[in-house]
Each structure stands twice: as C-alpha cells, then as structure tokens.
Amino acid sequence: MIYTFTLNTAIDKIITFESEIKRRKNNKISNIMYDVGGKAVHVSIILEQLGIANKASGFIGSQNGGILIKLLEQYGVKSDFIEQEAKTRESVVLLDNSNEGSYMITEKGFRVSEDSYKRLLDYIEENLKLSDIAVFSGSPPPGIDVGKYTVILKKVKEKKAKIFVDSASDYLKAAIDSGVFMIKPNEDEFREIFNITEKIEEREYIKYLDMLLDKGTENIVLSLGKNGSILAKKNREIFRYYPPEIIQQNDTGAGDSFVGGIVSQVSLGESLEEAVLFGTAVSASKASQKLSSGFDIKQTQIFLSKIKREQWR
Ligand code: TA6
C-alpha cells in the first residue's frame, strides 16, 4: 500500500482573474474553484488516476475537514486522517493571463496537539509494513517541530517502508539525516541546504548531490521547475531531464504531481530514471490545466515522447 502523509492539509481556493493582476487596480474575478491542497494529497490524486491503491493520511481540522474529504472523494481517493477539533487551513491560489505562474498564499495551519501527534505514530505503527511506500510532502504544521518530524520518519523507517520526502529547510535536513529513499528539493530548497548564494553552472550541482548521497540519502531528484530536473541515484548515476514546451495554466501542484508520477512508477517496479521521465510528463500535463490536482493521461503520453534525457554520469 502507498500512504501519503499531508501533515498540513489545506483547501485551495483558486481564483482566476480576467486579466493580469495589478496593484492599485480593481482586479475582476472570472472564476472561483476549490480543490484539495497541502501537497501529499495531490500525490494521492495522481496515484488514484492511475488506478494505484493508496491512502491519504495526515492531520485534518474537523471544523471544515469534511470539505477536503469530499473533494478527495470526487477524485476517488480514500482517506484516513487524524482529526482534531480545529480549522483546516485555506490556501489561496491566484491565476491570471500573464503566463508567469500562480500566486500562492498559504496560512500556517492549526497547531497539532500532542494527542494527534501520538495518534499519527500509532497509525504508522499499526498500518505500515515492509513493501509499503510512505510519501511526506509539504510543510509540517505548528506543533510538529523538527524533532517530532524526525521521530515520525524514524517510525516509518522502523516499519521498513520506502520513504519519499518533499519538504523544505530544517525538515528537509531532517529527512537527509534520516537517510530516506528519495528527496525532491526544488532549486531554492537545495541551495539553502548548502548556503549557495552565487549563480552556479548546472553541472556544479553534481558535487553537492554527491555530498547528500555520501550522507545516506538514497536518491535525489533536484527539481528545476519549468527547466526540468536532475536525478542523482544511489549507484552514482546522474540524469538530466528537459521537459516539453507547454502552455502553462496553473503551476500550483505541478511539483506534487511530479512526485506522484515518480512514486507511481517506482511502486510498479520501474527504474528511477524511467519514473522521473514519467513524473516529468505528468507534471507538464498538470501545469497545463487550471486545478491544483490531476492530469490528463493522453496528454502525458504525448509529452513523454517530447522529454529530453541526458546521462551526465
Ligand atoms: O503544491 C501546491 C500546494 O499543495 C497547494 O495545494 C497549497 O495548499 C500548498 O501547496 C501548501 O504548501 P505548504 O508548503 O504550505 O504545505
């Protein structure tokens, strides 16, 4: 079974404007939609669309959590959240016709109680086992500090499940120290780990990727946004992926779909270099549509043939 853990779930309110959003102007809305948010839930949606069994877990605020569960059900995703008397945060996504990406505005999320934290550890203890996959994506909420995050990852490791992490700053460092199966930092998150402030050539990233492999992270996918990604594997092979040209509608959730595509193929026994290829196509398809989730399988097949892959080592 694949378990996706969204520790800081959200309900995305996606607002589309008639023209480019401008300050000091009356910006007219043309459409409002709601979608699931918080990252690992998006991974669940991709898996579900591909017919791969999975369960969405994490923390949810009971005051409005039903909305999120219903949105997930519309995609067919089964959930098993730890509920707490609180309000699930709302994220606002602003889209306009500038073709320059979305604005994402996020709340911190409710403070997870000690009791909820313990219930999550119990959930992992009771459910996860060898051959399972656990995906942790998104920023952990207040109440889950780096120490607790490390304990959660340790518990999953004890159960021998394969761990994928898409997180940032100290939480990303905790995942690196825990030696997980795969991390997927974006360029900013990656540069922050090593305090890289100057502009460097892409191939210079190799030495930093090697440092992370030396530390025990099994595989790293460094995402370069619309410029593609670099995969560094445990066996020290390195691949560079160049995505297809697309007409971007909404880049929010594209990184999560990328992870979803990768996880799906790994769960089917594909090699990581093939999995990243598929993830790249899924993510391009996601970015070509307005919602925060989902993709089109036919479009993904077309995109697959347009991705360029180079082996760097
Ligand atoms: O990646 C998109 C997204 O999952 C949105 O749906 C939004 O809710 C946000 O990210 C949450 O990100 P965060 O890092 O705050 O957990």
Side-chain angles (χ1 to χ4, degrees):
M1 175 62 87
I2 304 175
Y3 294 89
T4 67
F5 291 97
T6 308
L7 303 185
N8 203 352
T9 46
I11 298 165
D12 282 7
K13 182 174 185 178
I14 303 160
I15 307 175
T16 308
F17 291 84
E18 284 174 359
S19 52
E20 190 174 341
I21 308 168
K22 293 234 167 74
R23 288 172 195 271
R24 289 184 285 277
K25 191 192 147 209
N26 183 348
N27 296 286
K28 292 282 179 198
I29 292 171
S30 60
N31 187 36
I32 297 182
M33 297 181 288
Y34 289 88
D35 201 356
V36 302
K39 300 209 189 293
V41 282
H42 296 304
V43 173
S44 271
I45 292 170
I46 300 296
L47 295 171
E48 202 60 48
Q49 275 189 267
L50 292 165
I52 298 174
N54 75 95
K55 222 170 238 179
S57 187
F59 303 111
I60 200 169
S62 55
Q63 285 167 20
N64 56 348
I67 300 173
L68 181 61
I69 292 173
K70 276 220 177 74
L71 284 166
L72 276 171
E73 279 170 2
Q74 283 171 16
Y75 290 101
V77 175
K78 291 187 194 65
S79 58
D80 225 350
F81 290 110
I82 312 290
E83 274 196 35
Q84 184 179 320
E85 173 48 38
K87 189 173 167 278
T88 307
R89 67 179 170 151
E90 263 192 25
S91 299
V92 179
V93 180
L94 306 181
L95 303 177
D96 64 11
N97 61 2
S98 64
N99 202 20
E100 291 199 359
S102 57
Y103 285 95
M104 198 162 77
I105 300 155
T106 57
E107 293 178 46
K108 277 205 175 116
F110 65 86
R111 176 163 291 275
V112 170
S113 68
E114 199 60 30
D115 177 60
S116 299
Y117 163 64
K118 289 198 178 118
R119 279 161 60 206
L120 180 71
L121 292 179
D122 290 345
Y123 180 84
I124 293 168
E125 176 63 35
E126 282 157 26
N127 292 282
L128 271 77
K129 55 178 179 347
L130 179 77
S131 83
D132 283 342
I133 287 178
V135 184
F136 288 85
S137 298
S139 60
I144 301 293
D145 58 18
V146 178
K148 284 184 174 147
Y149 191 71
T150 306
V151 173
I152 294 169
L153 294 180
K154 197 166 157 243
K155 177 117 243 147
V156 179
K157 261 201 113 172
E158 276 165 20
K159 306 302 284 183
K160 304 210 165 16
K162 224 172 228 171
I163 308 174
F164 290 73
V165 173
D166 178 7
S167 199
S169 49
D170 288 345
Y171 294 94
L172 174 58
K173 286 186 189 150
I176 292 164
D177 292 339
S178 305
V180 298
F181 177 76
M182 195 196 100
I183 55 168
K184 189 222 63 100
N186 64 30
E187 207 170 358
D188 289 342
E189 292 158 354
F190 188 82
R191 291 169 68 92
E192 197 191 326
I193 305 173
F194 295 103
N195 206 8
I196 307 170
T197 47
E198 75 284 15
K199 204 176 167 346
I200 58 171
E201 286 294 309
E202 272 182 6
R203 284 188 192 248
E204 281 188 61
Y205 282 134
I206 295 176
K207 75 166 182 264
Y208 296 102
L209 290 162
D210 279 340
M211 283 184 217
L212 295 184
L213 294 175
D214 289 342
K215 273 195 107 184
T217 304
E218 291 191 37
N219 303 283
I220 304 138
V221 178
L222 167 57
S223 139
L224 306 172
K226 60 177 176 357
N227 295 321
S229 63
I230 303 171
L231 162 68
K233 287 179 63 180
K234 193 180 177 178
N235 65 4
R236 304 282 158 159
E237 283 178 336
I238 304 230
F239 295 88
R240 172 74 170 95
Y241 297 82
Y242 300 91
E245 291 272 326
I246 59 161
I247 300 169
Q248 187 177 286
Q249 297 280 355
N250 180 5
D251 55 328
T252 295
D256 310 332
S257 308
F258 181 42
V259 175
I262 297 172
V263 172
S264 71
Q265 300 310 293
V266 170
S267 78
L268 297 172
E270 281 292 347
S271 67
L272 211 45
E273 55 268 32
E274 287 304 309
V276 175
L277 198 73
F278 188 75
T280 306
V282 169
S283 145
S285 171
K286 153 66 207 78
S288 312
Q289 56 142 39
K290 284 236 156 100
L291 282 166
S292 299
S293 325
F295 72 109
D296 182 83
I297 189 74
K298 280 206 188 103
Q299 193 180 38
T300 299
Q301 295 302 340
I302 298 166
F303 285 159
L304 262 178
S305 61
K306 298 192 170 157
I307 299 165
K308 216 175 107 209
R309 175 175 57 191
E310 280 171 3
Q311 182 155 8
W312 277 0
R313 187 168 72 194

